[in-house]
Amino acid sequence: MQQILKAKIIEVCNKKIAIKGENVGISFYAFFKNKNDNPELLMEAATWWIQTHKLDHFEKAVKIKKLVGKL
């Protein structure tokens, strides 16, 4: 996983947890703007989320943060 994506995931997870608490759920779309301005990075996140880890559409932000921290 590219460092830029890893940093973005951790940043978004931290923000969501700070605002909504430890039970907040997110999808990989949370790491991107509504514009598809970086399709390669989006596909990397989707592949990591769906194929590599076989995650549901929404997962707990704390779970995602832990998974990313293990990379």
Side-chain angles (χ1 to χ4, degrees), residues 23-56:
N23 286 324
V24 67
I26 59 170
S27 79
F28 68 88
Y29 290 115
F31 313 125
F32 300 92
K33 299 175 184 174
N34 288 336
K35 288 177 95 178
N36 190 5
D37 58 353
N38 193 335
E40 292 83 18
L41 204 59
L42 176 61
M43 288 305 296
E44 182 177 343
T47 300
W48 180 87
W49 191 283
I50 298 166
Q51 291 181 325
T52 304
H53 293 286
K54 299 186 181 358
L55 299 170
D56 290 335

Side-chain angles (χ1 to χ4, degrees), residues 1-16 26 30-32 41 44-45 48 64-65 67-69 71:
M1 177 182 289
Q2 293 181 45
Q3 185 59 36
I4 189 168
L5 180 56
K6 185 176 177 179
K8 183 66 172 175
I9 290 172
I10 292 171
E11 173 190 349
V12 169
C13 286
N14 284 339
K15 283 182 183 178
K16 296 282 187 180
I26 59 170
F31 313 125
F32 300 92
L41 204 59
E44 182 177 343
W48 180 87
I64 300 304
K65 191 174 159 184
L67 286 173
V68 170
L71 296 177

